[in-house]
Structure formats: C-alpha cells, structure tokens
C-alpha cells in the first residue's frame, strides 16, 4: 500500500517508521521542509538502534528506509496513494484545511484518516465534499512501541472503512480497537477513572501523592501511581484532557475534574518536562522523602472484628502477632476493622468500639506487600504506631510488610481507585462506545494496567464490587460512586463483566 503521512512531528515520524517497517511505501510530508528532513534522520536513527538491539536486520532496516519517500509538497498529486494519515497539530480549522487540500490533490478512492486524540472525527469529516471517506486512526506515542491503535468511525464514515483500517493495523503488528466518536475515544476516557479519583482523594486529605502512588503500585499492581503518571504525561496535558472529556459528556459525575489542577498548571508545575510537578526532577532535585520508619510495638495485642475479619486474623496469627479471641477487646489491645466501602468511624459507632484505638484495614492487600491502615480524628497516635507495627509483621521470617497510614474514608484508597477504574470502564461498555474485549485490550496495552478493568472487576467478583460501590454511594452521597447498570445487571444475573450480553437486536 502507498500511504501519505501529512505532519512530520513526533507522531507523524513514528507512524512513518511503523508503516515503512511493515512493508508499505510511505510518503512523508510537512509544510516545513526541514521537519521532513529531521523526521527521516530520526527514523534512520531508530532503525539503526533496532538493528543494534537485534530487533531487526540491517537489510530490513535499509529496505524500510528505501520505502520512506520524503515529499516537498503535501498537496502534490498522488494517483497511487491509497491512504492518507494526517498528524498535524490539534486544531479543527487546521485539520479541515489539510483535508480540503488533499481532497483536491488525491483520487476519490484514497481513504483519509486523522490521528486526532481529542477532536471530533465527525466534525473534521464534515468539512469534506465526501465525509464518508474519513475515519479516525489514533496512534499513541511512541508509535512503534505502543502497539494499540484506536479506529474511530465518524457518523458518516462508510461502513467498509473501519474494518479495512483494522486489518491494516493488525497486519502491521499492532492491535486495533474500534471506538465510538466520543470525547477521549477509549484509552483517554478509560484512564480518567484512576486520575480523577486520585485527585479526589488528595482533595479530601486522605493521603499525599507519594502515599497514593505507593498504594496504587503495591496494592493494585500498577506500574506507575497516578501522580507519577501525570508528571510523566504533563499535568497541563492531563488537566486539559480531564476537562474536555468531562465537558464532552455533559458534566458526568464519574469524570468530575479536581479544583487542585488549574492553579498548579498556571504555576507551571507540569511534571518531568519542566522539572517540577507533584515531584521534583533533575540532577539538583531533592530525593523523594522516604516512608516513615515503623516505630511502634509489634507485640501489642490486637483484636480483629467486623466483616471479613477471619482473613486478617489468620494472616496476623501466622506472623506471630498476639491476636485476642474474646468477644470484646481487652483494655490493652488495638482494634483492627477490615472496611469494605464504609468508614472506621461508622464501625466504631455501630459496634461500640473504643474510638482512640480502633483503626481500619483495607482487605484488598491481605496477601500483598503493602497494607493500609486508616486513622480517624479520634485516633491515639501511639496506638496507631503500634497498630502499624503489628501490620508490618511478616510470617516465617519474610520481609516485613510496608504499611501506609491514611485518613479514614469510605473504602480507603485502593478500593476507591479500583471502583473508579472499573466504573468508568463499565460506563463505556454500557454506552456501547466499545466492546468489553476492546476496552480491556486497549487499557492493558495503552495504559499498562496489570489486567483490563472489566476483567479486574471479575477478579473481585461482580457481586462484591456492587456491594463496594453501593456502600461508597450510600456513605458519601456522591453520585460519582453510583453503580452502573452494567455492573448491577451482571451482578444480579451472575454474568461476567466482560460478557456483552444479549441485546434486542440479537432477538429480532
């Protein structure tokens, strides 16, 4: 296939390398001739690096470079061009102008694709004489390594074009997911669950960025915590995406932005790219503050109560802790309560527990390397330090558990993050914006989550996850946490969250 790529910036040159390496002839052009020259040099260096690392041969790299054809004029006639991929700046008028000129220069048979990440594909196509020839083809940077592409049909896109683009993408070694033309498409939309909830936790002073990141990594198994991630992508970029998706979905509560971000963006606290974000970067930046050492008495007796207490009791007993067996805690014991969607304060009130020495424990990391201890405004600091020391104990001489101390909140940190991730993905499935399989594929490939959000929900169990979301909603009163119809129906019917289910069309 002969492909013309318009725009030789970071995305354009990455797409050019990907397509040329896959065997296609690629015309690379830009209104700035020097950008094309620089892009060809960049692709050459990347191919040489691939040869050095054994990812390709010198012959394959040379052939790919031969298939990369620099063009001086983006609007040059191209009777053999079958596909155009536009990768110019994110501006509707600019993209419409580019496609208008291409429509004059290229044959009617050429398919047009836009790499837009935030603009409406339908609105871009509406400027064409034939809007049916255009679809979205959204790559992620760096293109050769991020092996996922969103295929986005506009409202007028001809039905044969998305399957053809999907076949092209997958023949070149990437995975393709078909996504509705909605704000954020799929990956950016699904990613809002983690980041917006992390910001909400910070707003409420539940924990600081470093502790939330540690919990996200060590309890949920994410590669990066949400604040590390926004520093990597840039808070200015992240904040703009959050706002645009929230506005595009008419102020949907699940996607609600935080008041924390505008001032930080204005202050230039963007992250790695300028050396200051949630963390400091650069050779002169101070090292991140280490976690506070465990200083309490690990031999203090503990009393474990509440729903799910058996698992925590067994784990602490196996670690050699003194676990009381009586119906009530002794005067010397600290009290630990596993909480699922509720607060420690509510447990103190309903069970008549001693407020100063009663603490919450998140049951999610029961077998993990980090545990989370929740304290209330009534907590005795000395008792909290002892509770932390008891939770840090490890069985059979193993490494002690890390223990994060957070403010009491419904569901604690990890539960709220996970509930939000699953909830946003379920709302995408509920609206039929993408199939469950494509949602999980896109999130694991594009965001690096350890498992797709719907499959993650299945690991917890749909019924248990529904209990969590109902408890969060009832405890907080915030519509952000209301359960989705997708989750509620599948929990009640015993279906997997990844099951598309039967639709009226299936019964026609």
């Amino acid at each position: 296939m002969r492909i013309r790529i318009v725009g030789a910036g970071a995305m354009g040159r990455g797409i050019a390398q990907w397509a040329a390496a896959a065997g296609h002839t690629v015309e690379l052009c830009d209104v700035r001739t020097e950008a094309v020259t620089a892009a060809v040099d960049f692709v050459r260096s990347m191919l040489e690096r691939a040869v050095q690392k054994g990812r390709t041969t010198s012959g394959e790299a040379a052939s790919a470079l031969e298939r990369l054809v620099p063009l001086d004029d983006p609007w040059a006639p191209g009777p053999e061009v079958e596909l155009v991929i536009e990768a110019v700046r994110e501006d509707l008028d600019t993209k419409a102008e580019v496609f208008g000129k291409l429509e004059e220069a290229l044959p009617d048979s050429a398919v047009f694709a836009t790499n837009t990440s935030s603009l409406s594909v339908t609105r871009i196509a509406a400027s064409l004489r034939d809007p049916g020839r255009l679809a979205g083809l959204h790559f992620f940077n760096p293109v050769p390594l991020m092996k996922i592409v969103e295929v986005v049909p506009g409202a007028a896109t001809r039905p044969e074009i998305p399957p053809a683009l999907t076949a092209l993408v997958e023949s070149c070694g990437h995975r393709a997911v078909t996504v509705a033309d909605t704000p954020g498409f799929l990956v950016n939309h699904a990613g809002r669950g983690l980041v917006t909830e992390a910001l909400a936790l910070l707003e409420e002073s539940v924990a600081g960025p470093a502790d939330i990141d540690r919990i996200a990594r060590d309890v949920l198994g994410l590669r990066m915590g949400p604040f590390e991630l926004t520093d990597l992508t840039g808070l200015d970029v992240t904040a703009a995406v959050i706002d645009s998706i929230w506005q595009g979905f008419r102020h949907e509560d699940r996607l609600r932005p935080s008041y924390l971000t505008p001032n930080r963006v204005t202050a230039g606290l963007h992250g790695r790219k300028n050396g200051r974000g949630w963390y400091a970067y650069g050779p002169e930046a101070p090292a991140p503050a280490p976690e506070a050492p465990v200083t309490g008495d690990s031999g203090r007796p503990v009393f474990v109560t509440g729903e799910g207490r058996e698992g925590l009791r067994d784990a602490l007993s196996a670690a050699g802790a003194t676990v009381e067996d009586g119906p009530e805690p002794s005067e010397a014991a600290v009290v630990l309560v596993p909480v699922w969607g509720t607060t420690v304060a509510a447990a103190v009130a309903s069970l008549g527990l001693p407020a100063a020495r009663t603490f919450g424990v998140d049951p999610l990391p029961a077998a993990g390397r980090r545990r989370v201890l929740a304290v209330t405004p009534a907590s005795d600091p000395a008792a909290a330090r002892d509770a932390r020391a008891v939770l840090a104990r490890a069985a059979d001489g193993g490494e002690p558990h890390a223990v994060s101390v957070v403010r009491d909140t419904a569901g604690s940190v990890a539960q709220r993050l996970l509930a939000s991730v699953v909830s946003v993905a379920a709302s995408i499935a509920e609206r039929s914006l993408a199939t469950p399989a494509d949602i999980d594929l896109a999130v694991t490939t594009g965001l690096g989550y350890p498992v797709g959000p719907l499959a993650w929900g299945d690991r917890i169990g749909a019924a248990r996850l529904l209990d969590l979301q109902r408890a969060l909603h009832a405890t907080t009163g915030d519509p952000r946490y209301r359960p989705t119809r997708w989750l509620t129906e599948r929990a009640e019917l015993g279906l997997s969250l990844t099951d598309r289910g039967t639709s009226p069309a299936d019964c026609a």
Side-chain angles (χ1 to χ4, degrees):
M1 176 180 287
R2 192 173 190 90
I3 301 171
R4 179 175 295 185
I5 298 173
V6 181
M11 293 304 299
R13 68 193 185 189
I15 299 168
Q17 177 185 337
W18 166 81
H24 299 286
T25 300
V26 177
E27 299 177 353
L28 182 60
C29 51
D30 195 289
V31 292
R32 298 172 298 121
T33 305
E34 65 275 14
V36 177
T37 302
V40 172
D41 291 341
F42 177 84
V43 172
R44 180 181 293 107
S45 69
M46 290 297 99
L47 291 172
E48 289 172 352
R49 181 181 299 183
V51 171
Q52 293 168 1
K53 293 186 175 182
R55 295 174 181 166
T56 190
T57 67
S58 56
E60 289 169 340
S63 296
L65 277 174
E66 289 177 1
R67 290 190 291 269
L68 185 57
V69 181
L71 284 186
D72 293 332
D73 180 9
W75 330 123
E80 297 178 349
V81 172
E82 298 174 70
L83 172 66
V84 174
I85 303 175
E86 164 272 312
V88 303
R89 68 189 182 95
E90 282 289 274
D91 176 76
L92 182 63
D93 291 338
T94 301
K95 291 180 184 291
E97 180 182 2
V98 165
F99 281 117
K101 292 180 177 179
L102 290 168
E103 197 170 30
E104 298 296 332
L106 299 179
D108 293 343
S109 58
V111 172
F112 289 172
T114 173
N115 184 55
T116 183
S117 60
S118 61
L119 300 174
S120 165
V121 172
T122 300
R123 291 188 67 188
I124 295 171
S127 63
L128 297 174
R129 291 195 304 268
D130 177 13
R133 72 193 299 188
L134 186 141
L137 199 59
H138 181 212
F139 293 81
F140 294 84
N141 193 34
V143 174
L145 299 181
M146 295 293 288
K147 296 183 178 296
I148 189 74
V149 183
E150 295 176 329
V151 178
V152 189
T157 302
R158 288 196 293 272
E160 69 273 13
I161 288 179
L165 292 176
T166 296
L168 168 67
V169 167
E170 299 198 338
S171 71
C172 296
H174 278 30
R175 301 296 299 275
V177 292
T178 301
V179 188
D181 183 18
T182 53
F185 303 144
L186 175 50
V187 173
N188 283 330
H189 185 173
R192 296 318 93 204
L194 176 68
V195 175
T196 56
E197 192 61 30
L199 288 165
L201 287 161
L202 186 60
E203 280 185 10
E204 299 165 28
S205 301
V206 173
D211 277 321
I212 294 172
D213 281 350
R214 291 183 186 115
I215 292 168
R217 291 193 308 266
D218 296 346
V219 177
L220 298 180
L222 298 173
R223 295 178 188 173
M224 301 181 73
F227 295 101
E228 294 171 311
L229 179 62
T230 57
D231 270 2
L232 178 64
T233 58
L235 184 59
D236 53 336
V237 174
T238 299
V241 171
I242 290 173
D243 285 348
S244 67
I245 293 175
W246 179 63
Q247 292 164 6
F249 280 99
R250 299 300 186 263
H251 300 173
E252 162 62 53
D253 287 297
R254 281 185 237 282
L255 306 170
R256 189 166 64 238
S258 168
Y259 69 79
L260 293 173
T261 55
N263 280 351
R264 297 186 70 87
V265 171
T266 301
L269 301 174
H270 296 171
R272 288 180 180 269
K273 60 186 175 184
N274 64 356
R276 294 191 309 155
W278 301 106
Y279 304 97
Y281 302 91
E284 298 182 2
E291 287 191 81
V294 176
T295 58
D297 178 9
S298 65
R300 184 166 177 172
V302 294
F303 180 82
V304 185
T305 188
E307 187 176 347
R309 58 187 176 273
E310 293 81 6
L312 181 58
R313 284 174 55 89
D314 291 346
L316 293 178
S317 295
T322 303
V323 181
E324 295 185 347
D325 290 325
E328 295 181 354
S330 70
E331 292 295 326
V334 292
V335 181
L336 300 180
V337 183
V339 287
W340 189 250
T342 56
T343 63
V344 185
V348 168
S350 64
L351 300 176
L353 300 171
R357 50 194 174 97
T358 298
F359 308 94
V361 180
D362 189 341
L364 273 179
R369 56 183 176 175
R370 179 175 297 277
R371 289 170 171 161
V372 182
L373 180 75
V375 300
T376 73
S379 294
D380 172 47
R385 288 191 288 271
D386 292 346
R388 184 174 182 231
V390 172
L391 285 176
R393 299 182 66 130
D396 301 325
E399 286 292 320
H401 291 276
V403 182
S404 294
V405 181
V406 303
R407 180 179 177 177
D408 183 28
T409 183
S412 197
V413 173
Q415 292 173 37
R416 281 179 54 173
L417 293 176
L418 178 58
S420 182
V421 166
V422 177
S423 185
V424 170
S427 70
I428 293 172
E430 183 175 289
R431 291 183 169 102
S432 299
L433 306 185
T435 66
D438 279 354
I439 293 168
D440 278 0
L441 171 63
V443 170
T444 53
T445 308
L447 297 177
Y449 289 8
V451 64
L454 300 178
W456 207 342
D458 280 340
R459 287 188 178 184
I460 300 298
R464 189 166 187 242
L465 194 59
L466 180 59
D467 288 342
L468 170 60
Q469 294 192 354
R470 281 176 169 166
L472 288 172
H473 190 207
T475 302
T476 65
D478 190 337
R480 174 197 291 272
Y481 303 111
R482 71 192 188 282
T484 60
R485 175 169 51 84
W486 187 271
L487 171 63
T488 303
E489 287 180 338
R490 279 153 182 76
E492 293 172 343
L493 296 171
L495 296 176
S496 165
L497 296 181
T498 61
D499 191 332
R500 294 185 67 172
T502 302
S503 71
D506 297 326
C507 306

